[in-house]
Amino acid sequence: MADSREEEKKERDQEPQGAVGGEDVIDDPILEQGAVVLRGYVIERINTEDPDRHVSSEDLGGRPNEQQDPHIKDVVEQLIKIADELNRNAELQRLVNQVQDNCAKEVFMTVARSIFADGINWGRVVALFHLAYRLIYKALTSNHLENIRTVISWVLQIIREKIYSWIIQQGGWEGVIHGFSRWRTVAIVASVVLVASIVYYRKTR
């Protein structure tokens, strides 16, 4: 009996490992690739917005060379193109910049869930990644590095909870490449949704 309880405790202790950094999410290609793509997204955004800051996958809890996969590169490239549309929204940027790097999990989850409250598309997925990027970037620049893995774990939880089945229906993360022609429309929709979500976040602080 004690042995079985011990075994259960070990399993519980092991479960969060992959979620915490993303690098150990095994036996689930959707979550594992989602973590790799998110890290790639963060790295590319930092390269664009703060080129003097050199960040690697390992800095974000990933594996060396994980961004070298050409499929990952293609997915990240398409997500960045959608994000560029989001970044042109000055009000969005002003609001996102007010999100604190130490925001509580329940606040992040509320905002993230609201992004997908009335539908899922690639623009909304990018809105989630964009929000996570801002928190990760603030963690890097304010030297709260422990927050990076925490934010990645929150994103993976939202992927599991809200968009897992949808990603599978798109044929995996590479579905964003095939749906590329619609990115501008969905990005505009996503920017509106994200603004609304951040406004909600501010009201709940």
Side-chain angles (χ1 to χ4, degrees):
M1 199 66 177
D3 283 349
S4 108
R5 277 201 303 272
E6 184 84 5
E7 209 51 48
E8 282 171 15
K9 181 178 183 307
K10 273 186 189 166
E11 282 174 14
R12 278 199 310 275
D13 289 344
Q14 285 167 3
E15 276 174 7
Q17 294 300 313
V20 167
E23 72 277 27
D24 297 321
V25 180
I26 16 186
D27 300 330
D28 198 319
I30 297 294
L31 291 178
E32 181 171 23
Q33 197 174 38
V36 175
V37 167
L38 174 60
R39 287 191 287 267
Y41 177 90
V42 169
I43 290 167
E44 286 304 312
R45 286 251 63 92
I46 290 173
N47 286 344
T48 301
E49 296 182 15
D50 189 357
D52 293 333
R53 183 176 295 278
H54 300 292
V55 178
S56 68
S57 279
E58 296 98 307
D59 296 329
L60 305 178
R63 296 184 299 270
N65 304 320
E66 67 179 14
Q67 300 300 323
Q68 299 311 309
D69 182 329
H71 297 301
I72 295 292
K73 285 183 175 179
D74 287 345
V75 170
V76 170
E77 182 184 335
Q78 300 303 343
L79 294 177
I80 290 292
K81 285 177 181 175
I82 298 174
D84 286 342
E85 190 73 22
L86 294 178
N87 282 335
R88 291 191 188 101
N89 186 317
E91 177 66 5
L92 168 70
Q93 286 306 303
R94 189 179 70 76
L95 293 169
V96 168
N97 286 333
Q98 292 182 27
V99 177
Q100 300 300 307
D101 63 325
N102 60 347
C103 85
K105 178 179 181 179
E106 58 269 24
V107 173
F108 178 91
M109 288 295 172
T110 300
V111 172
R113 286 172 185 139
S114 72
I115 291 172
F116 303 105
D118 60 350
I120 304 170
N121 58 41
W122 288 111
R124 291 167 190 251
V125 173
V126 170
L128 171 66
F129 277 27
H130 192 69
L131 180 60
Y133 156 68
R134 297 307 307 178
L135 294 177
I136 289 170
Y137 181 72
K138 287 187 178 185
L140 283 166
T141 55
S142 60
N143 208 29
H144 289 108
L145 302 184
E146 69 283 357
N147 290 351
I148 294 172
R149 291 177 176 229
T150 301
V151 172
I152 291 175
S153 76
W154 294 349
V155 173
L156 292 182
Q157 186 174 333
I158 290 294
I159 291 172
R160 269 194 302 265
E161 180 187 308
K162 288 289 179 187
I163 64 173
Y164 188 94
S165 299
W166 184 85
I167 295 284
I168 291 173
Q169 287 164 13
Q170 308 310 303
W173 290 93
E174 288 177 49
V176 71
I177 300 166
H178 313 308
F180 174 65
S181 61
R182 298 190 302 277
W183 72 267
R184 185 173 294 273
T185 307
V186 299
I188 292 165
V189 170
S191 69
V192 174
V193 170
L194 187 52
V195 167
S197 300
I198 300 298
V199 168
Y200 177 88
Y201 162 81
R202 292 175 69 198
K203 284 180 180 170
T204 57
R205 279 176 57 73

